Amino acid sequence: MHTFMVVTAATLASLLVVLGIAGIAFDWVVPWARKKVLRPRLSGYGMLVGGVGFALFDILGPLDRAFGPLSLVGWFMFMAGLFLSWMSQRPGRAS
């Protein structure tokens, strides 16, 4: 069961990173979020930061003693990715 959970989490983190790169490079957003996302590049950065943070937290989290602070950095990166994704749904400043 542990192997199944690790493979699933690694797949989800990799998917977030790939979708983030697609959002940054091509301004592409997943079809079910296109109506909400007003700034696709910012959404891509949010997914990229969130995916890397999720991977750090998920992989290094169980190794509490040696990598505890780095796991905490991963959690903060995941939260920053959520914030960036939330901000991508808000209109930008008028130029």
Side-chain angles (χ1 to χ4, degrees):
M1 187 66 167
H2 175 70
T3 305
F4 173 73
M5 292 172 60
V6 168
V7 168
T8 303
T11 303
L12 290 175
S14 301
L15 182 65
L16 274 175
V17 169
V18 167
L19 289 175
I21 291 171
I24 294 168
F26 305 114
D27 289 341
W28 185 81
V29 179
V30 291
W32 55 86
R34 284 188 186 143
K35 290 182 181 178
K36 292 190 236 177
V37 173
L38 301 174
R39 297 186 276 176
R41 188 161 286 170
L42 185 61
S43 174
Y45 281 116
M47 282 191 272
L48 182 64
V49 170
V52 170
F54 177 69
L56 279 176
F57 182 73
D58 189 52
I59 293 169
L60 300 179
L63 307 174
D64 191 36
R65 294 184 192 266
F67 298 105
L70 193 57
S71 174
L72 191 61
V73 168
W75 184 80
F76 281 117
M77 283 179 68
F78 181 70
M79 290 298 129
L82 287 177
F83 178 73
L84 289 175
S85 294
W86 176 74
M87 288 298 294
S88 73
Q89 298 176 9
R90 305 288 177 253
R93 291 190 281 176
S95 314

